[in-house]
Amino acid sequence: MTTLVWFRQDLRLADNPALAEAFARGPVLPIYIVETPEQSGDTHPMTGASHWWLHHSLKALDADLARMGGRLVILEGPAETALEQAVRATGATAIHWNRCYEPHAIARDTRLKTRFGDEGLSVRSFNAGLLHEPWELETKTGGPFKVYSPFWRAALARPVTPPLPARSGELIAADGLGLPLEHFGLTPSRPDWAAGWLDLWQPGEAGASALLEGFLSGGLKGYGELRNRPDLPNVSRLSPHLHFGEISPRQIWAATRLYTDLHPGLAKDGDKFLSEIGWREFSYHLLYHFPDLPAKNWKPAFDAYPWRDSAADLKAWQRGMTGYPMVDAGMRELWATGYMHNRVRMLVASFLVKHLRLDWRHGEAWFRDTLLDADLANNSASWQWVTGSGADAAPYFRIFAPVGQGQKFDPQGDYVRRWCPELARLPDEFLHAPFEAPDRVLKAAGVVLGKTYPRPIVDHAAARAAALAGYEAVKEAG
Ligand code: FAD
């Protein structure tokens, strides 16, 4: 009665219904399948930074399974062949997995369920990645939600299933099956752009739990306001752990509620934090109901927007060399750590699509490659939100002023000084706008514009006017 448990975006042992139900049946073989985009049909594959995380997360899961007397068997795709191979080697009579919601994953899993079900295997899937399935929440008239607030109100009206504890059971090893993790070359070597990342991050279930605990006791107080400050440690940084399923939203929900029950003064901050988990749920709801979200403007009128084409501007943005310190700090934080604070993500995204008038899909692709938390649902929904083309999106005409955003959310300049050290000696007054500093101030700070730090690649007022002019085409098409 062996069950194959196919781990995917649920790389944990606790609150893992596919695994718990498999242990209830009998012996379990835990497997992971590495598929190429061609094999999985994934048109928006996760690449660079995500691969680094995946490598370390699989390693952590294998170590956790080893403590229970088993191991993680890693197989090469396509999934169908890998599953066949594992069924043959073990005589498994069941396959369990927790659901994924990316369109290619839904198509693949549907096919595999039929294929192995037809052969008499018991194939079962479970919800482990969301508080509520995307099809469980509906508007009063019966369709999907397109606006966040009523969506989240509907979600809050439903009970959240309590998380399952980690279960133990019999694991089988299937000697000879699978390939070593190193075979898949998921980590960079030349150059090793991820050097030092293990000092910043602890991929795996233990790292996720420790981070949540530390955030609740150290970062939650004041989260409602301070979550906007990239210079302060008041966000959880749980996003890569959530993407890879090392912790579940149900676990976060239960732990946060428990913590705020014990510390009632933090109830509001706790609600705000859970409402951000709600934005993640909303992104998945949108992706499930509108599978074109990663590729097409959700509002078709935006097809008429006259995007520019400039490889040089795109490169300046990617490298953090736009001449606007807050934008550059964000892009450099991303490159150096695989993460960027949400407030700064909104600013750099707005800068790309509005100041530079480059298509949001360029930004989506760059984030997908460089973010450790790159997530099809969150990334595409967020890019479309900033652009104005998405569901319940920020209006296009709200254009972030990069200098003002810096002054407001990095008031002492700690964030900019950290990521743009060449500006560190500028006084606060000019830190977010070095191009406005008098020559003697620049000289005293050792800044030579155009040499040690770029001049702005666009003028804010002119860029704003051009962006609004471009928007006229969308208004006409709408
Ligand atoms: P916290 O503030 O601690 O929030 C807790 C969790 O809530 C996050 O881990 C995340 O899962 C969820 N969350 C928070 N804010 C949002 C949001 N606005 N939308 C959806 N979920 C949210 N998030 C990703 O996980 N992957 C992405 O690829 C991604 N791309 C983005 C692209 C752009 C242009 C923008 C503006 C935002 C993007 N986000 C993405 C959303 C958000 O920036 C990150 O989830 C958040 O910064 C992660 O940091 P944290 O875990 O410290 O957040």
Side-chain angles (χ1 to χ4, degrees):
M1 292 287 276
T2 296
T3 306
L4 300 181
V5 173
W6 178 16
F7 283 89
R8 297 112 60 90
Q9 277 162 232
D10 52 348
L11 303 179
R12 64 175 185 272
L13 302 181
D15 194 31
N16 188 324
L19 180 64
E21 289 286 329
F23 276 145
R25 279 186 91 240
V28 166
L29 180 75
I31 62 169
Y32 185 88
I33 304 170
V34 180
E35 285 190 292
T36 63
E38 293 73 30
Q39 290 170 343
S40 66
D42 189 354
T43 50
H44 289 71
M46 302 300 151
T47 46
S50 301
H51 278 178
W52 179 88
W53 191 287
L54 176 63
H55 175 97
H56 291 286
S57 191
L58 292 175
K59 207 166 156 179
L61 180 61
D62 183 49
D64 291 343
L65 288 165
R67 275 188 280 280
M68 292 169 66
R71 71 182 180 108
L72 182 66
V73 171
I74 306 179
L75 298 159
E76 217 155 27
E80 184 164 358
T81 318
L83 290 171
E84 264 169 24
Q85 198 189 350
V87 167
R88 235 186 353 254
T90 58
T93 53
I95 307 175
H96 286 186
W97 63 68
N98 293 310
R99 284 178 207 114
C100 294
Y101 303 91
E102 292 77 12
H104 77 274
I106 293 177
R108 176 198 62 198
D109 294 352
T110 308
R111 195 165 35 79
L112 293 175
K113 214 171 208 179
T114 308
R115 150 86 167 73
F116 288 98
D118 285 351
E119 285 184 13
L121 275 86
S122 159
V123 186
R124 294 180 64 198
S125 63
F126 304 84
N127 171 18
L130 294 172
L131 295 173
H132 306 290
E133 294 287 15
W135 52 86
E136 287 174 346
L137 295 171
E138 285 187 335
T139 61
K140 290 203 175 88
T141 51
F145 284 95
K146 298 173 184 171
V147 179
Y148 168 77
S149 298
F151 167 83
W152 190 232
R153 269 199 303 277
L156 289 173
R158 291 176 68 92
V160 171
T161 310
L164 301 165
R167 299 256 163 88
S168 52
E170 188 187 343
L171 291 169
I172 60 166
D175 293 335
L177 190 64
L179 291 160
L181 180 56
E182 285 64 32
H183 167 83
F184 297 96
L186 296 171
T187 51
S189 51
R190 268 174 290 164
D192 181 5
W193 40 257
W197 280 10
L198 284 177
D199 297 333
L200 301 176
W201 302 100
Q202 189 193 342
E205 191 168 2
S209 304
L211 200 58
L212 176 61
E213 219 170 278
F215 169 71
L216 291 176
S217 58
L220 183 63
K221 189 165 189 277
Y223 175 84
E225 282 294 316
L226 303 179
R227 58 180 284 274
N228 283 311
R229 292 280 299 272
D231 56 332
L232 299 178
N234 286 87
V235 288
S236 73
R237 298 170 71 93
L238 278 166
S239 47
H241 297 282
L242 265 165
H243 171 77
F244 286 94
E246 299 164 358
I247 193 162
S248 73
R250 290 191 294 237
Q251 289 173 303
I252 293 177
W253 177 276
T256 305
R257 285 281 190 241
L258 180 64
Y259 194 83
T260 55
D261 284 350
L262 295 171
H263 304 86
L266 301 186
K268 270 203 161 138
D269 288 322
D271 286 348
K272 185 70 193 163
F273 177 57
L274 292 176
S275 77
E276 296 303 322
I277 301 292
W279 274 101
R280 176 179 180 273
E281 298 272 318
F282 186 51
S283 299
Y284 274 83
H285 184 80
L286 290 176
L287 179 63
Y288 178 78
H289 290 287
F290 306 100
D292 281 338
L293 190 72
K296 291 191 184 157
N297 291 309
W298 189 82
K299 288 182 188 152
F302 273 77
D303 293 350
Y305 191 88
W307 299 114
R308 286 171 65 237
D309 205 2
S310 168
D313 284 357
L314 180 60
K315 199 174 222 177
W317 178 81
Q318 289 170 336
R319 295 190 168 175
M321 296 294 276
T322 66
Y324 286 95
M326 196 67 174
V327 173
D328 293 341
M331 297 308 291
R332 295 181 197 185
E333 179 189 24
L334 172 60
W335 183 254
T337 69
Y339 175 87
M340 193 196 304
H341 188 279
N342 179 61
R343 171 54 55 183
V344 196
R345 288 188 205 201
M346 291 196 285
L347 173 62
V348 302
S350 167
F351 191 86
L352 184 82
V353 297
K354 297 179 185 177
H355 283 75
L356 300 181
R357 283 180 287 130
L358 297 177
D359 192 324
W360 61 267
R361 281 158 281 221
H362 291 300
E364 186 278 333
W366 182 252
F367 270 29
R368 186 151 40 83
D369 189 32
T370 53
L371 274 173
L372 286 167
D373 64 29
D375 182 278
L376 191 68
N378 274 354
N379 201 30
S380 37
S382 298
W383 273 98
Q384 295 230 38
W385 184 88
V386 173
T387 303
S389 59
D392 200 10
Y396 180 86
F397 52 79
R398 193 179 296 156
I399 298 176
F400 285 130
V403 174
Q405 289 283 304
Q407 289 162 341
K408 188 165 176 196
F409 296 113
D410 183 29
Q412 281 88 42
D414 293 344
Y415 181 73
V416 160
R417 286 196 174 88
R418 175 158 185 218
W419 295 112
C420 303
E422 68 272 39
L423 301 175
R425 286 162 54 210
L426 276 177
D428 291 358
E429 191 189 351
F430 295 110
L431 185 68
H432 291 291
F435 46 89
E436 286 175 1
D439 287 348
R440 63 180 164 74
V441 173
L442 290 172
K443 201 166 172 202
V447 177
V448 184
L449 288 181
K451 221 169 180 189
T452 62
Y453 184 73
R455 291 180 200 285
I457 58 171
V458 283
D459 170 72
H460 171 62
R464 188 172 187 284
L468 292 175
Y471 183 54
E472 290 303 313
V474 174
K475 283 205 276 186
E476 270 168 40

